[in-house]
Amino acid sequence: MASEVIAQTEEPRVTYLNAGHTVKSWLLTLDHKRIGLLYLFSISVFFAIGGIYASLIRLELITPQGDLMSADTYNRVFTMHGVMMIFFFLIPSIPATLGNFLLPLMLGAKDVAFPRLNLLSWYVFILGGSLMLITIMTGGVDTGWTFYPPYSSIYSNTQVTLAGVSIFITGFSSILTGLNFMVTIHTMRAPGLTWFRLPLFVWAHYATSLIQVLGTPVIAITVLALAFERTLQIGIFDPKLGGDPVLFQHMFWFYSHPAVYIMIIPSMGVVSELIANMTRKKIFGYHFVAFSSLAIAVFGFLVWGHHMFTSSQSMYAGMVFSLITYAVAIPSAIKIFNWTATIFKGSVSYDTPMIYALAFIGLFTVGGMTGLFLAALGLDVHLHDTYFVVAHFHYVMVGGAIIGYLGGLHFWWPKITGRMYPEIWGRISASIIFLGFNLTFFPQFIVGYLGMPRRYHAYVPEFQVWHILSSAGASLLAIGFIMPVVYLTWSLKYGEKVGDNPWMAAGLEWETSSPPPPENFTYQPVINHDAYEFENVKEIKEAAAREAALQTA
Amino acid sequence: MPEQASKFALEVDLFYIALWLMTIFFTVGIVAAIFLFMVKYRRRHDGEIPEQIEGAMTLEILWSVIPFIMALGIFAWGAKIYHEMYTEPKEALEIFVTGKQWMWRAQHPDGQREINTLHIPVGRRVKLTMTSEDVLHAYFIPAFRTKADVVPGRYTTTWFEATKPGTYHLFCAEYCGTQHSGMIGTVTAMEPGEYESWLGGGTKEPPAVAGEKLFSSLACSTCHQADGKGRGPKLVELYGKEVKLNNGSTVTFDDTYIRESVLDPGAKIVENYQLIMPSFRGQVSEEQIAQIIAYLKSIGPKDAGATAAKPAAPAAVKSAAAKPAAVPSAKK
């Protein structure tokens, strides 16, 4: 016995983490799992920057006078908050980190289809991100993340061109990742893993990849056109040069509305995994949930005009866009109802990932329903460009995308690191995030309907009370976000070492060891059952046997 | 709720409340179901595997079709209000508004001008015809529940009818640069009598009259002669009508086309005419273009414009009743 233990400590199992220790082995890695971690680290840095900007905004708005910073500074702060969070955190968040790490594992594959392209995607992302950091250091941008011309093309004297180039470059990272995922899902599935045996996480990433590949080139063209107008004075958007400013809005939202689904569909995929595994139930209506991801991706391309109901677009175009927008509501509703039905008669765990999953359902319901307000033509005229919109998209993007991301990160943390985070802290921080989030953004629905326009540095005093509530909530939210950074980092060294499948979850990724070996599986997995077949989970059988033995004893 | 001070306000508020009730219904329903399931079906022991339920077609159809019907209802309600808001009223007091970094300028039909304020009579339809001198702005009066973008290079319109006297916020809702949050003002709704006496103050010259002066001082009248014998097309009785162009297409002689022709005469040349007109870009302000439009409208067919302005129309216009022309729309 003793000699065995010694032998184990002398020769630790080779995992993707200890397969190489040099910096070079990380920076030149072709392992999708390491690339996932490279992304995880980089987007966390960008999230921190975006979060600091968010705190500055909330600090400024505590008083109505705009006394903390100048108007120009404030305009740069909210612009950089949006740009950082959307292009450098939300869009890459789940696909580039969890997607990269998990897709090949879930497919029973050694790696993604194009490992070198995968590494290139990260370098392209870092190049784009670095340019954006240079943009910030050389003065930033003050146009709002939407870059509407002619303000952005002619009037702004900030670093719009550089920011545009940065977004242009970053877009390629998104396209390459999407392309890689699509090919991987088509060609790298293990024997027996048919399309309808795929975990819903994979379906979600397939739908997302479609948007990334088809939509991202349009934003690339748009920012390029903007850069040309700025530098060469070509009249594309500015009427003084013969252009049309509303054209930009069409082009911009043709990408940027589907981009919202790049942020939210992967999160929905994560939530499907969490709900299934934390209740040990097959997802109710698997096919409907799978196809609803595709439906959202497809309809998402047809609704961009709902951002332009007051833009002087024709009234009838507005009606068509409104009508199609309601079509997107249906697949979203289908998901919500199916998840709720999955919990019914489940074996519900109270662990952190489940808290995140339930928070997602609640917050996304509010976010989605308030989307109906904005798609309602006559009402949108009043609500457009007010804080109601700000509240709505934060419910979708923070309450939806980030909550799903954090839930997924906690759920797969033992798979990624081989160690468990401290559960009690996980639950506390998830609850603080939930409370802080609602306190931050719910008052914004109210102040928005009262008429507070967005992007205001100073405002009329009657709105102050709502901003104070919102800023108080933001402090709570900040604490909630900092906590996981601390305890997850702590757990890397001190976290409890757990087995390969601490959640007793179903899914191929749980069948390999934690952390996985460099080539993912030491054998070729063969699949002969659907997703979420909990009868096949070894750990559950063992636990049941132990309990039976205890009872008979 | 912000103050309700226009005909739209009540309608929009009812719609808003209805949608919140629906949101609360669904959110509370889902959250309650989740809490119930959480407690009732909590995991009892480690090795538990619950009964598996694949799905139910009836339920899927129910919870697709019911939301779909509800969504159609919301769409129809919203579209009805929108149609009303964005359909130009026939009879309205027309005020020209120019947005500029970072102020609002307005000119009333009888010539009264104001900056960052707007005075209007209660109980009368007011139509704003708006353009911008520089970047995008948006004219937003929360108490009226109306908003419309103000776009350089084109005219947008919005309208409302104030229902009670008072002073209300006017915001710029489209981000427009440094002083975006300072581009605010007030809208004062007054009893019609008070409005008339407010108009009485200050110097005034109706935009159409100012436009007529410009028309001759810029020498437009030497080519665009009223008898059609000039080197340019005759503009009398033309407003709101279709014009044939030398490339075979047609265009409506409306605000947008007039503005374009003043700034870029070569863009759309009328059939049988040459490009000899110079561009007035840089020589006339947006406000002056608005005055020229007001003048051309005043010499147009009588029922063409939606304006209630009554400038001194030249005697030449008093010919036969023009056939009804399409109401010019700036929303293209």
Side-chain angles (χ1 to χ4, degrees), chain A residues 73-97:
Chain A
T73 310
Y74 180 80
N75 294 343
R76 288 166 204 227
V77 165
F78 78 69
T79 301
M80 297 319 299
H81 166 67
V83 168
M84 273 294 157
M85 287 299 195
I86 288 170
F87 294 109
F88 296 94
F89 176 70
L90 283 164
I91 288 177
S93 63
I94 296 179
T97 58

Side-chain angles (χ1 to χ4, degrees), chain A residues 2 62 70 114 149 164 208 211 224 245 340 344 368 419 466 468 489-490:
Chain A
I62 291 174
S70 71
F114 307 117
T208 308
I211 305 177
L224 205 61
T340 311
F344 179 68
R419 290 175 189 267
W466 305 107
I468 290 176
T489 311
W490 175 89

Side-chain angles (χ1 to χ4, degrees), chain A residues 47 81 85 89-90 263-264 267 360 363 390-406 433 437 441 477 481:
Chain A
F47 180 66
H81 166 67
M85 287 299 195
F89 176 70
L90 283 164
M263 304 168 206
I264 197 74
S267 196
F360 177 98
L363 299 179
V390 177
H392 156 71
F393 71 70
H394 280 89
Y395 263 83
V396 174
M397 291 179 186
V398 185
I402 299 185
I403 293 284
Y405 169 70
L406 286 175
I433 289 174
F437 174 81
F441 295 106
L477 192 57
F481 281 138

Side-chain angles (χ1 to χ4, degrees), chain A residues 456-516:
Chain A
Y456 263 31
H457 161 244
Y459 55 90
V460 293
E462 65 206 60
F463 298 142
Q464 189 180 11
V465 59
W466 305 107
H467 282 291
I468 290 176
L469 284 178
S470 185
S471 296
S475 325
L476 207 55
L477 192 57
I479 295 169
F481 281 138
I482 291 169
M483 283 171 67
V485 177
V486 176
Y487 67 70
L488 288 180
T489 311
W490 175 89
S491 78
L492 288 177
K493 188 142 194 229
Y494 305 103
E496 185 197 347
K497 281 193 175 173
V498 285
D500 298 340
N501 188 2
W503 308 114
M504 303 188 196
L508 257 182
E509 77 272 27
W510 299 106
E511 287 177 22
T512 187
S513 46
S514 302

Side-chain angles (χ1 to χ4, degrees), chain A residues 63-367:
Chain A
T63 60
Q65 295 88 6
D67 35 17
L68 181 68
M69 47 186 126
S70 71
D72 273 326
T73 310
Y74 180 80
N75 294 343
R76 288 166 204 227
V77 165
F78 78 69
T79 301
M80 297 319 299
H81 166 67
V83 168
M84 273 294 157
M85 287 299 195
I86 288 170
F87 294 109
F88 296 94
F89 176 70
L90 283 164
I91 288 177
S93 63
I94 296 179
T97 58
L98 298 174
N100 245 326
F101 194 95
L102 294 165
L103 264 187
L105 286 168
M106 287 182 170
L107 297 174
K110 263 189 173 170
D111 206 316
V112 291
F114 307 117
R116 284 186 177 79
L117 195 66
N118 202 16
L119 182 64
L120 177 68
S121 310
W122 182 71
Y123 275 101
V124 170
F125 178 69
I126 290 301
L127 177 63
S130 309
L131 281 179
M132 192 52 79
L133 293 180
I134 294 174
T135 305
I136 290 176
M137 285 184 280
T138 52
V141 183
D142 73 341
T143 59
W145 82 278
T146 51
F147 296 98
Y148 275 9
Y151 183 72
S152 62
S153 67
I154 300 294
Y155 291 86
S156 173
N157 53 9
T158 54
Q159 296 284 11
V160 180
T161 311
L162 190 56
V165 171
S166 154
I167 289 166
F168 181 82
I169 291 172
T170 311
F172 282 100
S173 161
S174 191
I175 296 170
L176 295 179
T177 302
L179 199 69
N180 215 341
F181 283 3
M182 281 166 79
V183 178
T184 306
I185 297 169
H186 270 279
T187 62
M188 309 276 284
R189 284 173 283 127
L193 189 56
T194 59
W195 282 90
F196 291 114
R197 284 177 177 175
L198 288 174
L200 289 162
F201 182 89
V202 178
W203 273 102
H205 275 75
Y206 190 76
T208 308
S209 302
L210 279 175
I211 305 177
Q212 287 180 303
V213 171
L214 297 176
T216 316
V218 181
I219 189 81
I221 293 164
T222 312
V223 292
L224 205 61
L226 187 67
F228 281 146
E229 175 151 311
R230 256 187 98 77
T231 51
L232 307 174
Q233 308 288 307
I234 297 172
I236 307 169
F237 304 125
D238 184 15
K240 281 211 170 66
L241 303 171
D244 178 1
V246 181
L247 171 68
F248 178 90
Q249 298 178 24
H250 280 287
M251 292 173 72
F252 179 83
W253 289 113
F254 183 82
Y255 166 76
S256 295
H257 192 77
V260 173
Y261 301 118
I262 298 181
M263 304 168 206
I264 197 74
I265 298 175
S267 196
M268 291 168 154
V270 168
V271 168
S272 296
E273 296 301 308
L274 300 186
I275 301 258
N277 282 309
M278 304 314 276
T279 62
R280 293 195 189 146
K281 281 268 306 279
K282 278 190 175 177
I283 290 288
F284 190 91
Y286 170 94
H287 290 82
F288 283 89
V289 177
F291 280 117
S292 64
S293 289
L294 288 179
I296 293 172
V298 172
F299 284 128
F301 274 109
L302 306 175
V303 302
W304 75 90
H306 70 209
H307 294 265
M308 302 160 62
F309 290 155
T310 67
S311 76
S312 81
Q313 159 185 268
S314 100
M315 177 165 66
Y316 298 101
M319 289 187 183
V320 172
F321 281 122
S322 169
L323 188 62
I324 305 173
T325 302
Y326 285 106
V328 186
I330 312 308
S332 310
I334 287 176
K335 281 195 195 276
I336 298 274
F337 291 132
N338 276 301
W339 288 325
T340 311
T342 306
I343 307 171
F344 179 68
K345 289 195 172 175
S347 166
V348 184
S349 148
Y350 283 36
D351 291 325
T352 311
M354 189 63 182
I355 296 177
Y356 276 113
L358 299 180
F360 177 98
I361 297 183
L363 299 179
F364 184 73
T365 304
V366 175

Side-chain angles (χ1 to χ4, degrees), chain A residues 35-45 96-97 405 409 413 416:
Chain A
I35 294 171
L37 292 195
L38 291 177
Y39 270 114
L40 178 66
F41 180 74
S42 357
I43 68 165
S44 300
V45 171
T97 58
Y405 169 70
L409 198 59
W413 192 253
I416 295 171

